[in-house]
Amino acid sequence: MTVRVEVRGAVHLLTIDRPEKRNAFDGPTTSALDTALNAFEDDDSAFVAVLTGAPRFFSAGTDVRAWAGEPTERGGPYGIAGRRMRKPLIAAVEGVAAGGGFEIALSATMIVASQSATFSFPEVGLGLVAECGGLFRGPRALPLNVARELLLTGDPLPARRAYELGLVNRLTDPGDAVEEALALAERIAARAPIAVRETLRAIESAYVADDEPGWAETALARDRARASADAVEGVAAFLEKRPARWTGR
């Protein structure tokens, strides 16, 4: 399995485990994460989940050789990006959270990151766009101009800067993100579960705008980018490990 599940009382620890691909998502990994999250949400004894990657990366996003499969019914892209979580989910980030990996972290309720972590939207370097919520969740979670810079350059955002900007809730030493996230999860799990779920629901309703316009605009950008010659060239250049030759077509 490319997603391992460990039950620690009321806390589920979900670990993306495809290290040979830096935890990039193919179809089976999307399905596995969807299944793990469905089980967590449907288990009345599970109150909080922690999502991380093994052993040194969070996730490099989509495996551009295999691609990430179709969106799932309950979870959307990657089995999570279209999901409205009913219970708290904490992303524990070590190393790279790139592209879809960053978008997966943005889908979580909170983020704990080690100082080794970086966050990036590298899609423009492949002739693509951030297709799984980054175009609207990035500007929602970060100052607008910072989000614009990340989305338009593909440059990485170091974890310390992400913490200073409020994207990251807690910053740890390298290797300590999971334990810190589990400690935070235990603090939440010790509270009344119905009150926690209702608080989360109210926050999401009040402060998270309707995502439908964001998904519609993302689909338009995705279709136009994917139909371009630059997208074909960008992916080919990435796989061949050479500079892309852009034509603007």
Side-chain angles (χ1 to χ4, degrees):
M1 292 293 291
T2 53
V3 176
R4 293 186 281 107
V5 179
E6 181 181 346
V7 177
R8 300 189 177 194
V11 176
H12 283 201
L13 174 61
L14 315 180
T15 304
I16 308 163
D17 192 10
R18 199 171 179 239
E20 72 281 2
K21 296 292 185 178
R22 298 203 303 173
N23 296 329
F25 273 62
D26 58 2
T29 308
T30 290
S31 179
L33 182 56
D34 183 67
T35 297
L37 287 170
N38 290 347
F40 162 65
E41 290 198 300
D42 294 342
D43 184 349
D44 290 339
S45 68
F47 298 164
V48 188
V50 171
L51 176 62
T52 192
R56 300 182 306 279
F57 311 101
F58 184 72
S59 173
T62 295
D63 180 342
V64 296
R65 290 187 185 275
W67 300 96
E70 293 298 315
T72 66
E73 182 178 355
R74 286 177 62 174
Y78 305 118
I80 184 175
R83 185 183 296 263
R84 182 63 64 91
M85 295 297 302
R86 297 184 299 106
K87 302 175 186 179
L89 172 67
I90 302 169
V93 181
E94 297 274 359
V96 171
F102 190 6
E103 290 171 303
I104 289 168
L106 286 170
S107 301
T109 312
M110 288 176 278
I111 299 174
V112 173
S114 84
Q115 296 191 58
S116 72
T118 60
F119 302 87
S120 65
F121 294 117
E123 288 86 352
V124 291
L126 281 75
L128 302 171
V129 301
E131 299 180 0
C132 300
L135 294 183
F136 53 93
R137 288 191 179 127
R140 186 183 295 164
L142 289 161
L144 178 57
N145 278 4
V146 174
R148 283 173 171 155
E149 181 178 347
L150 295 180
L151 286 160
L152 296 177
T153 66
D155 291 344
L157 178 70
R160 176 161 293 282
R161 179 63 173 149
Y163 176 72
E164 293 168 350
L165 292 169
L167 174 71
V168 169
N169 294 78
R170 297 189 180 184
L171 188 67
T172 75
D173 290 334
D176 291 346
V178 171
E179 289 307 313
E180 183 68 21
L182 287 169
L184 179 57
E186 292 289 353
R187 287 181 60 81
I188 298 169
R191 274 52 182 176
I194 293 176
V196 168
R197 290 197 296 269
E198 285 302 306
T199 296
L200 180 61
R201 182 197 58 77
I203 291 170
E204 295 297 302
S205 297
Y207 289 97
V208 177
D210 181 6
D211 285 347
E212 288 307 312
W215 285 118
E217 289 299 323
T218 296
L220 179 61
R222 175 201 65 208
D223 292 346
R224 288 176 174 173
R226 284 196 180 193
S228 70
D230 277 349
V232 176
E233 165 63 14
V235 173
F238 174 78
L239 294 174
E240 295 166 12
K241 296 181 172 56
R242 61 171 174 81
R245 297 182 288 271
W246 306 120
T247 63
R249 296 195 297 272

